[in-house]
Amino acid sequence: MNPAARAASLFRGAFGGEPRLVASAPGRVNLIGEHVDYHGGHVLPAAIAERTAVAVAAHRGFAAVSEQGAMERGAWLPERSGRWSDYVAGVVRLLAARLPSSAREEGVAVAVASDVPVGSGLSSSAALEGATATALSALWALRLDQRDLVAVAHRAETDFVGMPCGMMDQMASALAPEGSALLIDCATLETRPVPAAVDLVLVDSGESHALRAGAYAERRREGDEAMALLRTAFPGLRHMVGVPVERLDEAVAPLPAVLARRVRHVVAEDRRAVLAASALEGRDLVTFGRLVNASHDSLRDLYECSTPRLDGIVAAARGVPGVLGARLVGAGWGGSVLVVAAPGRGADVAAALQRAPGITAPAVRMVRVGSGARVERT
Ligand code: GLA
């Protein structure tokens, strides 16, 4: 059964009635453009075929149940609990605030079913937020457009859950076009679909992402410090990616070495994402693969968000025939490696990776590109 059917069936079992509707949203894989979204840079994510579905109906108070069996109940409106249901509750609160007070519901029941792996760097949280926002917007007839939904999903994560992420994951999960990657300019939120005529394979490192939130927040603080220093030489600088590449050496010279490395990564990675989109459009897959490799090397050496295990998987993948490039994907500090293979070679590459030392079969999966959030059933 697909997640939408499972969410509906879970809803019936948990709440004893039919859901009013079901919506779903995908996880995402970012082809290139890592740790630049919160610096106004370009990113190139695609929706993955795996989705999270959310079945909803009016209810007394707040209740959310997931396939993993956890039932969370709370007041109306729900408060932050520190548990998985916060991703739902954050969206509930933000959208309930948009209802006219006369029309405020007394609550909502939510059942969640998902095929998006958790902790693998594929944005299971953005999928849950996007599916919840899409479902509640339809349930409450809020007529929000996709960009409003993105803003709500993003604020649920940053303001309610407390993870200071950029907008890439929520944009990708809500807006990614069927079968294509999406080049997003995170300064303007302009987007351009980019057909990705490559095969994609993911290798899950299996590393816990317990460190991820703290390390990510540290990078955000470093970014703020670097921006404050950069602005002494570039007073009008709005985003870090606005540092001109030809003045990069000069710009980072006065910075502490750690901050200089971070800035070098961000400015170059933004350029790589733009070049990678053009390379895909021009079917220059060799250049695309080189850019993917350069992205990983920069994340490892300059942004310092890789791990020895991720580096080991990347090195093993780069030696497999048919591989164009390999890099860590998402925030890093664990999660998955994205392996880009020549068109038609993905299955062979996946099979070879399953035999590579230190990689176990369930960790390797072919990626099918999916599409953004939608209402499944009304
Ligand atoms: C996480 C965040 C995104 C982005 C990536 C790194 O996935 O949620 O906003 O910053 O890390 O590119």
Side-chain angles (χ1 to χ4, degrees), residues 161-187:
V161 176
M163 164 71 180
C165 62
M167 264 201 164
M168 167 172 72
D169 304 340
Q170 289 78 17
M171 290 275 293
S173 184
L175 304 174
E178 174 82 54
S180 278
L182 191 66
L183 182 69
I184 305 170
D185 178 341
C186 296

Side-chain angles (χ1 to χ4, degrees), residues 28 30 32-39 43 121-123 125-126 154 157 163-170 212 216 220 265 269 299 303 305 327-333:
R28 65 95 189 95
N30 187 21
I32 192 163
E34 218 65 271
H35 286 288
V36 297
D37 59 345
Y38 49 86
H39 286 304
V43 296
L122 299 177
S123 269
S125 60
H154 182 243
E157 177 108 23
M163 164 71 180
C165 62
M167 264 201 164
M168 167 172 72
D169 304 340
Q170 289 78 17
R212 202 173 292 161
Y216 190 95
R220 295 298 307 261
H265 166 77
E269 180 76 358
L299 290 162
Y303 219 69
C305 61
R327 58 181 287 276
L328 73 82
V329 67
W333 299 287

Side-chain angles (χ1 to χ4, degrees), residues 63-364:
V65 63
S66 86
E67 273 181 319
Q68 279 68 43
M71 167 72 87
E72 302 288 340
R73 291 187 187 277
W76 189 249
L77 295 167
E79 298 294 335
R80 189 163 170 241
S81 68
R83 291 189 288 275
W84 70 271
S85 55
D86 279 353
Y87 296 102
V88 176
V91 173
V92 165
R93 287 192 71 104
L94 287 164
L95 287 182
R98 299 196 183 205
L99 287 166
S101 47
S102 57
R104 266 191 201 153
E105 302 274 344
E106 292 186 343
V108 68
V110 179
V112 178
S114 182
D115 286 340
V116 183
V118 174
S120 301
L122 299 177
S123 269
S124 57
S125 60
L128 179 51
E129 291 150 0
T132 305
T134 304
L136 293 181
S137 166
L139 179 71
W140 292 338
L142 292 174
R143 298 184 197 289
L144 301 185
D145 67 21
Q146 289 300 89
R147 286 180 191 255
D148 279 334
L149 291 179
V150 169
V152 165
H154 182 243
R155 275 190 58 207
E157 177 108 23
T158 55
D159 298 3
F160 193 78
V161 176
M163 164 71 180
C165 62
M167 264 201 164
M168 167 172 72
D169 304 340
Q170 289 78 17
M171 290 275 293
S173 184
L175 304 174
E178 174 82 54
S180 278
L182 191 66
L183 182 69
I184 305 170
D185 178 341
C186 296
T188 61
L189 300 188
E190 274 165 27
T191 60
R192 179 170 103 217
V194 176
V198 285
D199 282 5
L200 303 173
V201 178
L202 277 168
V203 184
D204 193 332
S205 70
E207 280 180 317
S208 131
H209 61 311
L211 284 176
R212 202 173 292 161
Y216 190 95
E218 184 186 45
R219 291 295 177 277
R220 295 298 307 261
R221 283 194 298 276
E222 290 170 347
D224 292 344
E225 277 175 50
M227 282 299 284
L229 294 171
L230 288 168
R231 283 197 181 110
T232 57
F234 299 89
L237 192 67
R238 288 198 54 210
H239 300 289
M240 193 182 285
V241 298
V243 174
V245 181
E246 58 287 357
R247 296 184 63 190
L248 187 52
D249 288 341
E250 172 204 339
V252 301
L255 269 52
V258 170
L259 299 187
R261 289 201 293 277
R262 307 298 186 250
V263 175
R264 282 187 186 284
H265 166 77
V266 169
V267 172
E269 180 76 358
D270 173 52
R271 298 272 295 208
R272 277 191 288 270
V274 174
L275 293 172
S278 304
L280 281 177
E281 285 164 340
R283 299 220 160 212
D284 181 355
L285 302 186
V286 172
T287 298
F288 179 69
R290 281 202 198 111
L291 291 162
V292 165
N293 283 338
S295 170
H296 182 82
D297 297 352
S298 176
L299 290 162
R300 180 193 61 210
D301 300 336
L302 300 178
Y303 219 69
E304 296 173 282
C305 61
S306 190
T307 65
R309 187 156 170 72
L310 289 168
D311 294 340
I313 296 169
V314 164
R318 287 180 184 170
V320 172
V323 169
L324 298 165
R327 58 181 287 276
L328 73 82
V329 67
W333 299 287
S336 298
V337 167
L338 171 67
V339 182
V340 181
R345 302 293 298 278
D348 291 346
V349 165
L353 285 169
Q354 279 165 12
R355 293 191 300 267
I359 300 177
T360 46
V364 181

